[in-house]
């Protein structure tokens, strides 16, 4: 799962390269909740969606549904080059999602490296791919990192009352690991009701074998 805007400083090119590097497994899906930008990054994602049926790009999601997407995912991938503050990383951590991110300013204050997140250098798709493959193949490691994430965010909420903590209270806790959130190469527009991928998440939560995202 990636959440953000398709602009250069979010490391979209690194994300695309890393995803292409990881050995393909039809059970592994990539969901991007991402507002399009004006440049190259939007075209990169559009091309990836066209080439890879495992990739889903949703342009608009009502804020109230974002926690459901987070809980329905297995890994949060955020290859940013710079942030004012990594709020979305804190939100993912607080929902118990294992995080892969970078040593960029603005996010490195949120995690404890190699404890609450697997971390790569800025602009290093090979490191991102290595971490992604590792988490995809190691459910026990995902659970360990997720528990540490959640515990760290609970401490932050109680001791600092930070914006991340206050927003996280709306998100709740827990995670439904291994839900298949993407059924094909689709690009969705948001609407007033439940988004299409959100509906698929619900369907998969109610039955059947779960894939990975």
């Amino acid at each position: 799962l990636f959440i953000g805007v398709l602009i250069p400083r979010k490391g979209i090119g690194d994300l695309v390269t890393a995803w292409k590097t990881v050995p393909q497994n039809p059970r592994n899906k990539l969901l991007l909740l991402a507002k399009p930008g004006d440049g190259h990054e939007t075209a990169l994602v559009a091309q990836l969606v066209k080439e890879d049926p495992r990739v889903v790009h949703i342009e608009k999601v009502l804020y109230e549904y974002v926690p459901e997407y987070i809980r329905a995912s297995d890994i949060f991938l955020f290859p940013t080059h710079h942030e004012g503050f990594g709020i979305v990383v804190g939100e993912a951590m607080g929902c118990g999602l294992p995080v892969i991110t970078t040593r960029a300013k603005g996010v490195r204050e949120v995690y404890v490296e190699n404890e609450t997140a697997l971390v790569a250098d800025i602009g290093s798709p090979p490191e991102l791919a290595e971490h992604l493959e590792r988490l995809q193949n190691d459910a026990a490691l995902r659970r360990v990192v997720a528990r540490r994430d959640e515990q760290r965010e609970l401490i932050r909420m109680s001791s600092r009352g930070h914006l991340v903590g206050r927003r996280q209270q709306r998100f709740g806790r827990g995670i439904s690991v291994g839900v298949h959130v993407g059924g094909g190469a689709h690009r969705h527009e948001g609407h007033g009701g439940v988004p299409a991928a959100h509906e698929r998440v619900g369907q998969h939560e109610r039955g059947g074998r779960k894939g990975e995202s």
Side-chain angles (χ1 to χ4, degrees):
L1 174 68
F2 169 85
I3 300 174
V5 183
L6 301 182
I7 55 177
R9 71 175 176 87
K10 297 296 185 180
I12 304 304
D14 301 335
L15 183 152
V16 170
T17 300
W19 177 256
K20 289 182 175 181
T21 302
V22 174
Q24 293 192 8
N25 181 331
R27 295 180 64 245
N28 295 335
K29 314 295 180 182
L30 175 61
L31 173 64
L32 300 100
L33 306 184
K35 180 180 178 180
D38 296 327
H40 178 60
E41 288 69 26
T42 298
L44 270 180
V45 169
Q47 185 62 32
L48 182 64
V49 167
K50 183 177 180 180
E51 295 174 351
D52 191 339
R54 302 173 301 156
V55 180
V56 176
H57 176 204
I58 302 177
E59 296 184 357
K60 299 177 183 178
V61 175
L62 295 176
Y63 180 78
E64 63 195 89
Y65 293 128
V66 171
E68 300 305 318
Y69 285 102
I70 294 177
R71 295 190 193 98
S73 300
D74 300 300
I75 300 165
F76 186 68
L77 178 59
F78 195 67
T80 184
H81 291 189
H82 176 77
E83 295 293 316
F85 185 80
I87 292 176
V88 68
V89 172
E91 291 172 341
M93 289 170 58
C95 282
L97 196 62
V99 170
I100 300 171
T101 188
T102 68
R103 298 182 178 92
K105 181 179 179 181
V107 290
R108 59 177 180 250
E109 295 82 7
V110 179
Y111 59 75
V112 176
E113 186 167 341
N114 295 323
E115 290 189 18
T116 62
L118 300 185
V119 183
D121 286 334
I122 296 169
S124 180
E127 284 187 278
L128 295 169
E130 179 182 350
H131 293 327
L132 186 57
E133 184 175 5
R134 185 181 174 195
L135 282 178
Q136 285 177 342
N137 295 329
D138 192 338
L141 178 61
R142 289 200 304 269
R143 289 192 293 269
V144 168
V145 175
R147 282 197 299 270
R148 290 171 177 169
D149 281 350
E150 198 170 15
Q151 290 166 359
R152 178 171 170 81
E153 280 308 294
L154 287 172
I155 291 170
R156 286 165 62 88
M157 286 168 59
S158 61
S159 64
R160 297 180 61 185
H162 199 278
L163 173 62
V164 175
R166 293 198 301 269
R167 290 180 68 182
Q168 190 54 49
Q169 287 178 326
R170 296 182 59 189
F171 277 25
R173 299 178 55 195
I175 180 170
S176 178
V177 172
V179 177
H180 174 177
V181 298
H186 303 289
R187 182 174 178 175
H188 300 268
E189 295 285 347
H191 52 77
V194 179
H198 180 81
E199 293 171 351
R200 288 199 299 275
V201 168
Q203 291 166 2
H204 283 279
E205 285 178 329
R206 288 190 292 270
R209 178 178 176 85
K210 298 178 181 180
E212 293 192 4
S213 57

